[in-house]
Each structure stands twice: as C-alpha cells, then as structure tokens.
Amino acid sequence: MKPLDCFHCGEPVLTDTQFTTCINDKEQPMCCPGCQAVSKAIIDAGLTNYYKFRTEPGSKQTALVPEELCTFSAFDLAEVQEDFVHQDSDTSTVSLSIDGITCAACAWLIEHKLKHVTGIVKIQVNSTTERALVTWLPEQIKLSAILNQISAIGYQAAPYQVDEQELLSKQNSRKFLLRLGLAGFATMQVMMFALALYAGYFTDLEVEFRDYFRWVSLIFAAPVVFYSAQPFYFSAIRSMFSGRLNMDVSVSIAILGAYIASCIATINGNGEVYFESVSMFTFFLLLGRYFEQNARQKASVSSSNLHKLVALTAHLITDNGAKETPAKGLKVGDIILVKPGEVVAADGHIVDGTSSLNEAMLTGEQMPVCKTISCDVYAGTINIEQPIRVEVTAVGQEQLVAEIIRLQESASNNKPRVALYVDSISNYFTWTILVVAALTYVVWKIYWPEDAFWVTLSVLVATCPCALALATPTAVTCATGIFTRIGVIARTPGVFEKLTQIRHVVFDKTGTLTCGNLKIESTKMIAGTDEAQVLAIAACLEASSLHPIARAFEPYRDPKLSVEKSQNHIGQGLSGEILGQVYRIGSATFVGVTDITDNTEQAIFLANESQVLAQFSLVDTIRSDAGDTVKQLKKIGCLVSIASGDTSNHVEEVANKIGIEDVNKGLSPEGKLQLVRRYQTQSNVAMFGDGINDAPVLAGANLSIAMGSGAAVTKSSADLILLGDKLSRYTDAVNVAKLTEKIIKQNLFWALGYNLFIIPLAVTGHVLPYVAALGMSASSLIVVGNSLRLLKVRL
Amino acid sequence: MSIIYVLIPIAMLFVLIGIGIFFWAVKSEQFDDLDRQSVSILFDDDKPVNTETKHSETKDSTPS
C-alpha cells in the first residue's frame, strides 16, 4: 500500500490512521499529534478555507515542544517589553517574526485566527517578510496569550528588534518607489506633449499652442527634476566633496542644465526645450536604482528576522524563592536558576546541580557537554537535563558571546574591499565627459555662439552614462533574483565579483559538511534478540530525554511501549522499566561493558538487568551533496580544506569520505582566523561556517558563506547564506556569478562603445538633443534587455 | 482648438489624483507584500457562526 501523506504538512504518515482530523466531513490522515492538534485548532476556529487556498503544505509540527520552551510569560514583563513593544495611550504594538509561513494562506490564517480574539485591535501579517504587526489592548489580553494563540495553529512567533540598517533600507526603498512612480506618471504626460511638439514641426503648429504645450511640459517636468532626481544631486555633491567624481555628477549637470535651459527657452519663447529628455532620462535611471535597492532590502529583511530575542529573562534566586527577572537586570554575584530547556541568561559558574549543556551556539558542536559544580557556563547555551543554579560572573559586554562578536567586528574592519568595476571607471569617465562638454562649449561659443548651448547639452545627454550606470545594477539585480530562486541570499554588495575570484574553499565540519544531527549508523546485536524490538525499547527509554542522542532514536518509537520509573543519569545514560524489565541505555561504563572492541566515539549500549543487549553506533550524517560539491569545486580549480574545532577522528573520517586532503582540526576561533589569513597570502579564500565560533573567521575570509540552519550571529556576518542547507548551491552560485560577470562586461562594453561612437557626432553638432535622448534611452534599454537574459538561466 | 486650454488642465487634475492615489498606496504599505494582497480577495470572510465557536475554543485552549 502506498503510504499516506499527512494532510497538514505533506510528509509521509508512518503511524497509519492513528491521528486524523475531520476536515470538510472527511477524516484526513495526520502524521503526528502535533499536526493533528494544529489542524484541529484551525478547523475549530472555522478557518477551513486555509486548506482550500494554500499553495504550499504547512510546516511539520515535530514532537510537541517541551513545556518549558512553550511558555511565553517572559514576554509579559514590563522591563522586557520596553525593548520591542511600542506603547500608545491605551494600546501596545509589537512586531513579530513568524516561523513557518509558507504561502499567502498562512498569513490569512493567522490574521483571521487572531482578529476575533478579544483585546486584539489590529493584526497585519506580511507573507513576504514573514512578519506580523499586532496592536492590542494590554488590559484585556497579554502578549504571551497572543503568542500562544499563534502557536496553537502551528506557527512560532517571537518579537524581534528591527536593526537600524533594515529600517533605513525600508524607508529608502519606499522613497524610491514614490520618486519612481512620480517620475513615471510625469514622463508619460511630458512625452505626450513632446509628441505633439514634434508633430508640430511638420504641421506648422501655431506659436501660441506650442508655447502652451511647453508651459504644461515645464510644470510636469518640475516634480521630476526637483523631487524624483534628488538622490542624484546628493550623491553628486557627496562625491565632489570626497574629491572623486561619480556618474551622478554628469547626470545632475545634464538634468539641471537641460531643465534650466528649457525653462529659459519656454520663458523667452525661442530655442529648444528638452523636458521629455529630462523626464525620461530620470525615470530610466531611477528604475535601475530601484531594482538594486529592492534586492538589497530583501536581503537585509531575511537576516534581521534571525535576530530573535533569546534569554530575555532569568529566574533570580531571592530569599523568597525564584523570581522571574529581565536578563539585562542581572548583576555579578546573583544566583540564577536555569531549568531544563532554558537558555542560560548570563556567563557564570554552576553552584548547584549537574546537567549537560548544548553549546552548539558557541562551538557549532551539537553534542552536549556535561557540567557540574564550579564548571563555567556561557550565555546563550541551552541547559538540557536537570535544573542548575548558576552564579553570574559576567554580564553584558563582558560575556563570551559579546567577546566573539567584537572579534568578528575587528576582523571585518580589516576586510579587503574590492572596488566595483564601475566605481573606478566612472571617475575617469565623468572627468572625460565634463572636459569634453566644456571644450565643446568654448569652441562653439567662439565660432557659432548661437548653437553653443544646445550642442553642449546634446553632448551631456547623449553621453549620459545612463547605460553605464545601469550596466552593473541591472545585471546584479537579475542575478540576485536567481539567487533567491535557488535559495542563496547575498547579504553584501560585491559578492558576485568575489565569487568568481575564489580559489580556495575552507569548510567547517559540524553543521556545514555534516547535518549536525546524529543518526544510528549500525546496530550490533550482542545477545541474540530481535533488532526491531531492541530499537523500540531503546527509543522508548530515550523518549523522555532532550539529548541529541535521543533524537536519533525517534524514528524507531513504538507507541505501544511505555516506560516507567524513568531515570536520567547525567552524562551517562538513562534507565527505566519497560514491560516489567529494567533496562539501561548509555555509555559503556554506565551499562557495564568492559571489552570495548569498536573504538568509535559515539557508541552507546543497551542492557537489561542480566546482560548487554546491543551496541548502537551513532554518526553525524554527512550532507548528501557534500562529496559532489567537493568534486565540483576541484573541477573549477579550487583548493579545498577543512578547519574544524573538533578534535576527534571523526574529522578525518568525514574528510576521507568526501575527498578532502587538507585537514586542520582542534582549532580555536582565533586559530581558524590565522589559518585563513595564511591561505589568503596565496589566494582568495571562501569560508563556510555555521556556529558562532565561526563568526570571526567568516568576517576575515574574502567571502563567507553561512548555512541556513546556523547561528544567527554567523548569518549576520556572512556574505552569502545558503538556505535549504544544500552545499551544491554554492557551485550554482559560482556559475551564476560567472555569467553575471560576463554580462556586466558585455554591458559595459556596449555602453562605452555607444558613448565613444556618439561623442564625436554630438561634439560636431550632428545630434539634436531629442535624438540624443532617444539614443541614450535605446542604449539603456539594450543594457537592461541584456541583463534580463540572466533570468532565463536554468540550473 | 482652444478647447485644449480647458481639457489639458482637466487632464492634469486627473494625473494629480492618480499620483495622489499612488502616494497613498505606497504610504499605506500596499506594495510591501505583493503575494498577500493579490490573493486576499479569494478568501471569504468568516461566517458569523464560526466566531462563536471560536470564542469557546479560545476559552478551552488558554488554560492548557
């Protein structure tokens, strides 16, 4: 029988018809209790339409989140809220970043679920940025209740702080849209009158009407010149102050010059007007800039969503028990309680309790580290098994996380900046144009003074570096579009040229070459029992644990078995009673194995009271496309190395399997940075990483790539983010970048060629200003069309 | 021909209204989420009955 697919998330159902939900009078299969609960909540809220209109399946509701992680009560504290909640006289507003939005139907679902909740004034969900803006009445409903409502239908919401850069780019992009729209409207009108004027040359338009059309054109062109074109003037002024000329200088001169001259001609009633050239010119230039701006905004939005607030609160131990306090209010010497599943709020050392902590956020290693009294713990790490009491030793900027971020910042300041092609060209180009225009004016003024102005103007318009200005941005925008389609986010400008210059690729191991989660590689039966049953027993024992090892056993769970008297032995293993038998699972010493034959690090054993039953070998699975990617990289002439913080033999094993010879292990964050610096003396280096410990080395490499599942800090320092965690995306990105480079070169070649061709004609007075404007527009259209070819690339 | 002295200002007025609507649309975030707005017309509003079941559901789910 063909396995059923979960109606909610689309994944195969392995539990038969154990979980179902009645949707539109039909029992639909569900893969897990999570999906069942979520779909029930959706149906109960009368939102069946979600299933009718969604275009993507929902996200899988993996094993119900432990209760500790599910409480949002921390967000209700006034001190915590003041960071991200905007207070009005009687309402509060918060921006939430929401995980799990797959299509527009999700946005509809969330809006309608929350719209009728008492106390919520307004909710607006944006499916592109995966965010929601919620306004509510604090007296009637708490923020935590709102978050709970959202999580009931299967989305994880968390408040986030918008970083300044994103806010700025959003404002900019909106302003650009206004300028662009205005220029578009006005250009249409001015072109209309321009057509009438041109037609008038042949049909003897009466002077009275000609002047009328000119005045109307003047009025329509004014907002374009004074509002839409502003960014060019500011950029021109800035560049002149800094002693370099960019293209905006000649653009500004052409726009203002042509407009002023046309105004004079209109007022005096003789000469030529160029309002249509001015408007069209501005519109095309803005269009190119707007596309570029938009792509940049998209990139900054997706990285800002990662800045979720973690460890907002801590349980401070006071004389009258534990009290929830904001993490930023902690002082050195305070004792805090960290419950299982919670994030440690500050650096400190354990004063009571033993537990294992997941430090993946700092080290990239998924295996928890066992810690007991007087061991150091760090802010941002997650407590897994038992409650511990921690004495705070460092807060705020003194913490290890802050230290690593500082290291990363100082590395990124030293980053070699490769200037964009056009920047270097435009300086000379603008100088040339200005000198040529000035010479033209002087020469014509001496010999034919009455034609001097319009000839100079046609030189400026015809040679307008519009095509040149569009050459790079349009190609980059199209390439960014493809990147988004294949799941690659370019975060910094200049990524495209850097990608083509990389000759050495360095990988971190855990989370980059490997998936960062454990899988059972082999099961060795010691006593002759049934393998499936042994796995089921092991899975049942592990079911109560949050340890990553336990997750490896999850697929083998049998819902019929249940465990009693389950006990957690920190750093060793678990014990419990199943069907009247006592079982122990864990390390060799814990279950009493003496003769260890297989020396793999990740071997765990299952035993009953009398004997050892089985040995499970666990491995961190290598990404399925790692081998192919390495082969591809070697084919395009890249050196490939591993730089890992891990000291175990697993590093060599992984390297062998995927064919990497150069292995460096046991490196600290500084060590990795030094290694990359050494490689950099020979060639440009790209670094792949995912943990926060990789942040400094990522900042130091010529090009840094973070995996989509990695730590937020890593992603905010990386140039490229690979979503979907496919390494092969990198080689695709290199191919796109190579093509982009080729197209940029073609564009620049064309734009320069056109300008060199038109300059002599314009200087000698053979190009009328309107012909110049047409030629200029045609050359930009050709450049844009050439760039659009990029969108047709199939990977 | 002198009718254009009247018609063109009227046309200008229309353009001004158009620009006004465009500015309003941009400022009220109509262009921020193009996916969402394009399909929102497909969704029906909730039936009034559902609102009541919803409230009972809300009460049920909060304490758990």
Side-chain angles (χ1 to χ4, degrees), chain A residues 421-575:
Chain A
Y421 295 116
V422 183
D423 268 358
S424 51
I425 299 176
S426 68
N427 192 18
Y428 302 110
F429 193 82
T430 312
W431 274 114
T432 320
I433 290 177
L434 290 180
V435 169
V436 168
L439 282 177
T440 311
Y441 186 74
V442 171
V443 173
W444 280 76
K445 193 80 191 168
I446 295 168
Y447 298 98
W448 309 275
E450 68 278 13
D451 290 333
F453 185 80
W454 77 259
V455 172
T456 313
L457 198 64
S458 65
V459 169
L460 278 175
V461 172
T463 59
C464 161
C466 179
L468 200 63
L470 287 172
T472 321
T474 49
V476 168
T477 308
C478 294
T480 312
I482 300 179
F483 269 23
T484 319
R485 205 170 66 208
I486 63 173
V488 177
I489 297 178
R491 285 205 64 248
T492 50
V495 163
F496 295 95
E497 15 160 10
K498 284 187 203 161
L499 265 173
T500 56
Q501 292 162 355
I502 296 300
R503 291 287 166 272
H504 196 143
V505 179
V506 183
F507 289 98
D508 174 42
K509 190 205 67 173
T510 322
T512 310
L513 288 174
T514 65
C515 303
N517 50 33
L518 293 170
K519 276 228 169 86
I520 299 174
E521 190 188 41
S522 66
T523 313
K524 201 161 85 188
M525 307 308 300
I526 295 170
T529 30
D530 177 37
E531 184 174 333
Q533 193 176 356
V534 165
L535 279 168
I537 291 170
C540 187
L541 276 172
E542 292 279 5
S544 60
S545 170
L546 294 171
H547 202 275
I549 287 181
R551 250 184 282 154
F553 283 95
E554 229 163 58
Y556 305 99
R557 247 195 105 181
D558 182 349
K560 284 191 271 293
L561 289 178
S562 68
V563 63
E564 280 162 43
K565 294 182 201 151
S566 167
Q567 237 189 322
N568 197 342
H569 308 263
I570 314 263
Q572 302 179 68
L574 298 145
S575 65

Side-chain angles (χ1 to χ4, degrees), chain A residues 165-467:
Chain A
Q165 195 196 344
E166 191 204 325
L167 213 64
L168 209 72
S169 84
K170 191 177 173 182
Q171 274 172 1
N172 270 340
S173 152
R174 190 171 294 170
K175 246 188 219 151
F176 248 94
L177 189 59
L178 289 178
R179 293 184 203 280
L180 180 69
L182 183 69
F185 273 111
T187 305
M188 280 193 289
Q189 298 302 313
V190 177
M191 290 299 278
M192 218 160 66
F193 294 113
L195 267 181
L197 285 173
Y198 289 139
Y201 282 120
F202 308 108
T203 55
D204 278 335
L205 188 71
E206 284 166 52
V207 179
E208 179 194 0
F209 290 120
R210 191 201 68 179
D211 284 350
Y212 180 52
F213 287 149
R214 284 182 169 188
W215 274 103
V216 174
S217 305
L218 185 148
I219 294 169
F220 273 120
V224 180
V225 173
F226 295 113
Y227 178 71
S228 296
Q230 266 177 19
F232 304 124
Y233 311 145
F234 289 131
S235 155
I237 292 170
R238 265 200 306 275
S239 87
M240 283 194 290
F241 275 127
S242 66
R244 272 173 70 93
L245 289 187
N246 66 7
M247 282 177 297
D248 290 333
V249 175
S250 68
V251 165
S252 306
I253 292 177
I255 293 176
L256 286 174
Y259 186 72
I260 292 167
S262 306
C263 288
I264 294 170
T266 310
I267 295 163
N268 293 342
N270 57 30
E272 292 297 325
V273 294
Y274 315 105
F275 294 119
E276 83 289 352
S277 316
V278 173
S279 314
M280 193 165 65
F281 181 50
T282 312
F283 176 69
F284 276 118
L285 282 177
L286 278 173
L287 197 65
R289 301 273 171 102
Y290 175 70
F291 283 144
E292 194 195 357
Q293 179 81 227
N294 229 5
R296 201 172 299 162
Q297 197 211 344
K298 258 185 207 148
S300 82
V301 163
S302 44
S303 76
S304 176
N305 272 354
L306 308 169
H307 289 275
K308 299 246 176 70
L309 301 158
V310 282
L312 282 169
T313 58
H315 300 281
L316 181 69
I317 308 274
T318 58
D319 296 336
N320 357 319
K323 197 183 108 209
E324 204 168 24
T325 45
K328 57 177 185 173
L330 291 174
K331 290 183 295 292
V332 173
D334 282 349
I335 309 275
I336 55 172
L337 175 72
V338 186
K339 293 180 189 167
E342 278 186 346
V343 176
V344 180
D347 285 7
H349 55 252
I350 301 178
V351 287
D352 185 22
T354 302
S355 181
S356 43
L357 286 114
N358 187 335
E359 297 194 328
M361 193 222 173
L362 290 172
T363 60
E365 293 301 322
Q366 291 294 327
M367 288 305 290
V369 188
C370 186
K371 298 208 166 176
T372 181
I373 296 176
S374 85
C375 287
D376 288 331
V377 294
Y378 305 103
T381 58
I382 303 166
N383 182 17
I384 292 188
E385 281 152 338
Q386 300 289 321
I388 47 172
R389 282 167 192 242
V390 174
E391 185 184 342
V392 177
T393 55
V395 288
Q397 288 302 307
E398 307 297 311
Q399 293 178 152
L400 185 67
V401 181
E403 178 60 36
I404 290 181
I405 293 172
R406 263 202 299 280
L407 198 59
Q408 161 210 335
E409 272 166 7
S410 73
S412 70
N413 286 340
N414 301 331
K415 204 170 191 169
R417 283 239 163 262
V418 192
L420 284 166
Y421 295 116
V422 183
D423 268 358
S424 51
I425 299 176
S426 68
N427 192 18
Y428 302 110
F429 193 82
T430 312
W431 274 114
T432 320
I433 290 177
L434 290 180
V435 169
V436 168
L439 282 177
T440 311
Y441 186 74
V442 171
V443 173
W444 280 76
K445 193 80 191 168
I446 295 168
Y447 298 98
W448 309 275
E450 68 278 13
D451 290 333
F453 185 80
W454 77 259
V455 172
T456 313
L457 198 64
S458 65
V459 169
L460 278 175
V461 172
T463 59
C464 161
C466 179

